[in-house]
Structures are given as structure tokens and as C-alpha cells.
Amino acid sequence: MTQHDTIGEPEVVAAFDVDGTLTVRDCVRPFLLRVGGWRGVITALLRKPLAAAGAAAHRDRDRFKELIVGGVLRGRKVQQVEDLGEEFAALVEQGWLRADTIERLRWHQRAGHRIVLVSASLGPYLRPLGRRLGVDDVLCAEPLTKGDEFGDGLDGVNCRRAEKVRRLDAWLKSRRIENATVWAYGDSDGDIELLARADHPLLVKGTTVSAIPVGFDS
């Protein structure tokens, strides 16, 4: 039992970033390479050269990502890409997870806390990874779909910075979770707003996260 697991206490929710927080590396580019190869990624950039150059000049990571994701995935069958996502999730689980932050996630699970992945990673592989980890939900960047194929770009805003807070708050509201005690874990400037939103924020970059936070029971 933790300090929060008493009658009348708010429900506890732990929000985890993924790339660099639960994993030892970025996952977006390796997945897109698995789907389209280097040829697909380069073609994605060359098909809209002015837009790509503008995004690079303005350091617009969200627009740059949208161009690449749309270029690589557009026209591909959703089921085909999701099958690759299942395989990729297995690869991540087997070799790319951070042992320390995964142990902290397991502590939250043992305590009965709700676990949500809040990430700019892509849904086709992040949802199966979430199932493998046994989390409650996955809030992430979703490629645009048109019927049984992918469209050109992202469905909505990239799940980064302030969008992470918006998605988390919408998720809490949809489940009628009020006044939740929020723990948040991130590793980059893309997590600044999410960490600021939390009651218990932890920037995990450059540190080893303890399996059990100080002052809490196992």
C-alpha cells in the first residue's frame, strides 16, 4: 500500500513519455525505416521540398514529422502497417526498454495506479507496446487514415509539449477522474508542460530512477 491508497484519497495516475523515458532510444525513425526503408523516408522529404525546407529552417519538428509520416505511410494498408507495428513493439520490449523506468512503472501497477503512455510516438506500434506493458491507455501521435489505408499526415496535432497535457486532461475527464494525483515522467523539452502539470514530476534524462520513490512502500 502506498501513501495514496487510503479511503477518500484522490485516484493516482502515472503518465509516462516513451522515447528516451521508457526506452533507451527514439522509436519513430526506426519504425518508419522498417515500413518504408531509407528510400521511403527520403522520398517522403523530396515530394514536398519547399515544405520540408521551411520546416527545417523554422525548426518546426511537428511539421517535419507530419511530412515524413505522411510520405512514408500514405497509401499503405492500415492492417499491413499495424502488423509491422506488432513486430516492432516486440522488438522494443525485448531490447529497447529502460530497466529503471520500467521498474518504476511496475511499482505504480502494484500500487493499483492507472498508467497512461503520453507520447509523440506512433500509434501503430505504441498501442501494442502498451498492451505488452499492461498499461491502461495510450495517448500518442496517430497517422491519418482514409478507410483501410493511411492518408497524408497526422490525425490531429502531434502529441508533444502542451498537447500532452491537453490529451491527458481530456482522458481524465472522459473517465470522470477528478482531482487525480498525477505522476509524470519525461526526458526532454517535449515533456516540459506535462511535468509542470504533475503533482510528482520526474525528469529522467541523465539519471537512474529508483524502483520505489523515496517515502513510499513497496
Side-chain angles (χ1 to χ4, degrees):
M1 180 176 290
T2 73
Q3 292 178 357
H4 293 298
D5 292 334
T6 57
I7 296 175
E9 287 292 317
E11 188 159 1
V12 181
V13 175
F16 284 85
D17 170 55
V18 176
D19 293 7
T21 298
L22 287 178
T23 68
V24 296
R25 58 170 299 173
D26 168 73
C27 294
V28 176
R29 186 173 69 176
F31 177 70
L32 293 176
L33 287 173
R34 178 169 287 245
V35 174
W38 278 109
R39 181 177 181 179
V41 172
I42 293 171
T43 300
L45 292 174
L46 293 179
R47 72 193 180 95
K48 294 182 178 180
L50 293 180
H58 292 93
R59 297 183 179 181
D60 188 342
R61 293 173 56 180
D62 295 334
R63 178 58 175 153
F64 200 74
K65 178 179 181 178
E66 185 175 24
L67 290 169
I68 297 176
V69 171
V72 172
L73 296 186
R74 68 190 180 98
R76 296 183 187 271
K77 294 294 184 182
V78 171
Q79 188 59 57
Q80 176 194 35
V81 174
E82 289 186 345
D83 288 344
L84 291 172
E86 291 280 356
E87 296 174 5
F88 189 75
L91 171 68
V92 173
E93 182 188 34
Q94 291 164 11
W96 293 4
L97 295 179
R98 277 183 59 164
D100 60 338
T101 51
I102 290 297
E103 283 301 310
R104 177 62 68 88
L105 184 149
R106 297 305 184 202
W107 172 78
H108 282 291
Q109 289 176 324
R110 290 195 303 272
H113 302 164
R114 298 208 191 197
I115 314 294
V116 186
L117 304 185
V118 189
S119 171
S121 259
L122 302 173
Y125 63 83
L126 199 58
R127 284 189 298 274
L129 180 62
R131 289 193 294 270
R132 288 172 175 272
L133 295 175
V135 304
D136 293 272
D137 215 337
V138 172
L139 312 176
C140 62
E142 295 286 2
L144 184 66
T145 58
K146 293 186 176 181
D148 64 348
E149 295 183 348
F150 282 102
D152 188 354
L154 296 176
D155 187 1
V157 180
N158 189 22
C159 190
R160 181 173 174 271
R161 299 209 62 157
E163 179 65 9
K164 290 194 172 190
V165 176
R166 191 195 71 76
R167 297 271 193 103
L168 178 61
D169 285 342
W171 183 86
L172 292 169
K173 183 177 180 180
S174 71
R175 283 152 182 77
R176 298 181 180 178
I177 301 174
E178 298 181 359
N179 303 316
T181 297
V182 176
W183 295 65
Y185 300 86
D187 76 302
S188 71
D189 61 0
D191 303 308
I192 289 175
E193 289 85 350
L194 180 64
L195 294 173
R197 162 71 174 80
D199 302 284
H200 299 278
L202 184 59
L203 184 67
V204 305
K205 185 175 182 179
T207 188
T208 298
V209 178
S210 61
I212 302 170
V214 175
F216 288 77
D217 300 329
S218 59

